[in-house]
Amino acid sequence: MLSLTTIAILIAFVLYLAILVGIGIWSMKRTSSTEDYFLGGRGLGGWVAALSAQASDMSGWLLMGLPGSVYALGTGQAWIAIGLFIGTVCNWLFISKRLRRYTIVAGNSMTLPEFFENRFHDRKKIILTISSIVIVIFFLVYTASALASGGKLFNAVFGIDYHVALAIGAVVILVYTFLGGFLAVCTTDFVQGMLMLVGLMTVPLCAYSFIDGSFEAQITASGITGNYSDYMSLFSNGGRPYRFIDILSQLAWGLGYCGMPHILVRFMAIKSEKEIKKSSVIAIIWCFLSLVAACIIGVLGRAYFGSDVLKDSENVFIEMINSVFNSKIALPFIGGIFICGILAAIMSTADSQLLVCASSVSKDIYKNIIKPSASDKKVLQISRITVIIVAILAFIIAWNPESSIMGLVSDAWAGLGSAFGPVVVASLFWKRTNLYGAVAGIVSGGLTVIIWDYIPLAGGQTIYAATGIYSLLVGFIASFIFIVVGSLCTKAPGQDIIAEFEKAKKAIE
């Protein structure tokens, strides 16, 4: 027999999910071509583009992974948030406008691999093939992290078996992504971005008002490693001093932004360059408020729960909502809405990842390589089939209930950031970059992350485990070196490529 509290939260969930599916059906009626399905007809407004980019970026990591890390190890984990904020600012200020203009100049490119192909006039479709494969590999892991977040959420809130919860979240995301494509994804991301921000700002304020006793005493009583000063210090990590390389590794998370296809595609889809300026202001403010609030939730969780130490630190926000709105102020439906904010963070990333994978397979591989004569209708059909297949594979990867959200996100973020980030920057800002250098950069960046994180080369350990250096930092540097060396040691780009580069540059200036 379900309690009234559980029923109230369940009603909130059902209403929220029904709204998302409704948006998918509405968007399907406005989706008639591949440009509509993958870029929304390049018609995104400033608010939708900004919140869609940020909501699809942060995922369940923002509301579960980051607060959980701060709760477990202290405010030193905020260096990741600082790095991400710097990366967000740089991405909007330096990449967004130039990328949108260049993708139009370079054959009206609709995906990142297609932009690379057109940018370097790759008639043999080498870079298109390689970049599409890299996207599918790392986005499988990324999508799995989102599904794992959903499984943990439903399990923590309703006590549903993790695997059943995993299936529920996957099905809902599949439905509206399958139906409406990019327009559905961006519209739902806008709604979800607003809900995430409201939850992040409201819940910690309510929780703070219910903290019993001294803030410092409560945190100390919670069993932290080290003392209160260590826990609250940016230069301490789990009771031990931060090394410079630790801080640098966490700041390096910001390098990933310029290589994230699901974020970059939002820049390509904004309806005008005038809207980009407005979007950048909205996105930067949203990012700052959200990251600060997520870190505060981790610290407040220690003080709020005190000696009742949580078994799973990544559930701190969920448990805080349940306690405050169910036990303290008896408004379980409102609590359910805020828990939907966590679901929003999960879904807003998973849907974007599914869509990017679908575009890579259907548009870049099927349409551009396997069957160039394929009709728009056939490409749409293949993309929707791909969404289903990718979701199933990600579901399998996320099957283990002990999967770490932070770990899965970290691996995928490093792989995509290292493979594509340096190539995107070089493509937009260095006209001497050529096809050989770009291919070398993508391959070296992706392989560096795989070797660093997965191959036990250091006395039976991975290099990451032995050094603590984040693979994105190493992979990003390696990729840039290969781009420069590969480009300078091979034939310079032709005059037609240089002319396109200058055209895109002048249009921006």
Side-chain angles (χ1 to χ4, degrees):
M1 187 76 176
L2 294 176
S3 67
L4 290 177
T5 295
T6 303
I7 292 173
I9 295 174
L10 190 59
I11 291 172
F13 265 66
V14 170
L15 287 175
Y16 175 70
L17 296 178
I19 290 172
L20 296 188
V21 173
I23 290 173
I25 296 171
W26 169 79
S27 300
M28 188 178 185
K29 296 178 181 179
R30 302 182 61 182
T31 301
S32 58
S33 67
T34 52
E35 186 172 16
D36 288 340
Y37 193 79
F38 297 131
L39 281 185
R42 290 193 194 267
L44 290 190
W47 277 90
V48 174
L51 292 188
S52 175
Q54 296 314 122
S56 66
D57 155 30
M58 290 304 179
S59 77
W61 172 87
L62 176 68
L63 299 179
M64 295 178 75
L66 179 57
S69 293
V70 173
Y71 176 89
L73 300 171
T75 56
Q77 291 295 301
W79 284 110
I80 296 177
I82 294 170
L84 289 174
F85 177 70
I86 294 171
T88 296
V89 173
C90 291
N91 214 25
W92 277 100
L93 295 185
F94 303 117
I95 301 294
S96 60
K97 189 174 182 181
R98 189 175 290 258
L99 180 64
R100 184 189 183 278
R101 170 58 62 180
Y102 212 147
T103 55
I104 294 173
V105 170
N108 193 32
S109 308
M110 286 190 284
T111 67
L112 194 60
E114 189 176 34
F115 167 64
F116 290 149
E117 178 195 12
N118 293 338
R119 163 67 173 84
F120 298 109
H121 293 201
D122 178 19
R123 309 305 178 199
K124 296 181 180 179
K125 302 186 183 298
I126 298 171
I127 197 168
L128 180 79
T129 304
I130 292 173
S131 54
S132 298
I133 292 171
V134 169
I135 282 175
V136 172
I137 290 172
F138 285 110
F139 265 115
L140 273 174
V141 179
Y142 213 153
T143 306
S145 75
L147 296 186
S149 301
K152 289 189 175 187
L153 172 65
F154 281 104
N155 176 261
V157 175
F158 300 114
I160 300 173
D161 177 75
Y162 171 80
H163 301 111
V164 175
L166 197 65
I168 293 172
V171 168
V172 173
I173 295 167
L174 261 176
V175 170
Y176 70 80
T177 306
F178 181 90
L179 292 173
F182 189 79
L183 184 59
V185 166
C186 288
T187 305
T188 53
D189 283 356
F190 171 76
V191 174
Q192 291 168 157
M194 293 297 291
L195 183 57
M196 288 161 65
L197 185 60
V198 172
L200 279 165
M201 300 298 289
T202 305
V203 174
L205 288 174
C206 293
Y208 182 77
S209 67
F210 289 110
I211 292 176
D212 295 322
S214 162
F215 190 84
E216 180 177 344
Q218 285 290 96
I219 289 180
T220 303
S222 68
I224 56 175
T225 303
N227 56 42
Y228 176 77
S229 298
D230 290 335
Y231 184 82
M232 297 299 292
S233 172
L234 273 175
F235 299 96
S236 178
N237 183 33
R240 64 175 178 80
Y242 253 129
R243 299 175 301 166
F244 172 75
I245 195 63
D246 295 329
I247 295 175
L248 192 61
S249 288
Q250 296 208 341
L251 288 174
W253 278 69
L255 295 173
Y257 273 104
C258 52
M260 295 296 140
H262 60 300
I263 298 173
L264 298 177
V265 74
R266 265 71 180 174
F267 301 159
M268 296 158 61
I270 296 176
K271 66 182 177 182
S272 70
E273 292 179 15
K274 183 180 178 181
E275 289 291 314
I276 290 179
K277 185 175 182 180
K278 180 169 73 175
S279 293
S280 64
V281 173
I282 296 167
I284 290 169
I285 292 173
W286 186 97
C287 182
F288 176 79
L289 293 176
S290 298
L291 289 171
V292 169
C295 292
I296 289 173
I297 286 168
V299 176
L300 272 179
R302 278 288 182 182
Y304 182 80
F305 293 108
S307 57
D308 296 326
V309 182
L310 301 179
K311 292 181 180 179
D312 187 344
S313 63
E314 291 185 335
N315 285 340
V316 60
F317 191 43
I318 299 172
E319 297 297 340
M320 189 180 288
I321 292 172
N322 278 333
S323 176
V324 170
F325 290 94
N326 294 345
S327 304
K328 303 293 185 182
I329 54 180
L331 292 174
F333 181 78
I334 301 300
I337 294 295
F338 287 134
I339 291 175
C340 284
I342 302 175
L343 185 62
I346 296 164
M347 289 183 157
S348 60
T349 301
D351 55 20
S352 300
Q353 293 156 352
L354 285 172
L355 196 61
V356 170
C357 279
S359 66
S360 287
V361 172
S362 61
K363 184 77 171 64
D364 299 326
I365 297 176
Y366 181 77
K367 169 72 174 175
N368 291 334
I369 298 174
I370 298 175
K371 194 171 183 180
S373 61
S375 65
D376 256 15
K377 184 178 180 180
K378 185 65 176 178
V379 174
L380 279 173
Q381 182 182 15
I382 295 295
S383 68
R384 285 173 169 145
I385 292 172
T386 304
V387 165
I388 296 173
I389 294 173
V390 171
I392 291 172
L393 293 174
F395 178 86
I396 294 170
I397 294 172
W399 185 255
N400 181 5
E402 300 302 318
S403 298
S404 165
I405 298 168
M406 199 74 169
L408 290 170
V409 170
S410 174
D411 292 343
W413 187 267
L416 293 165
S418 296
F420 296 131
V423 178
V424 169
V425 174
S427 297
L428 298 178
F429 294 95
W430 188 37
K431 63 183 176 183
R432 181 61 176 79
T433 312
N434 64 15
L435 174 63
Y436 305 103
V439 170
I442 292 173
V443 173
S444 62
L447 283 178
T448 298
V449 170
I450 291 172
I451 293 170
W452 199 266
D453 287 339
Y454 293 100
I455 311 255
L457 297 177
Q461 291 183 303
T462 62
I463 304 176
Y464 169 70
T467 64
I469 301 173
Y470 188 26
S471 55
L472 174 55
L473 178 61
V474 183
F476 199 91
I477 293 172
S479 178
F480 247 123
I481 291 172
F482 272 87
I483 291 170
V484 173
V485 173
S487 297
L488 293 178
C489 291
T490 52
K491 186 179 178 181
Q495 285 304 310
D496 50 348
I497 296 178
I498 297 297
E500 279 186 357
F501 181 91
E502 295 296 339
K503 181 179 180 183
K505 181 181 177 182
K506 289 177 181 177
I508 293 167
E509 294 171 349

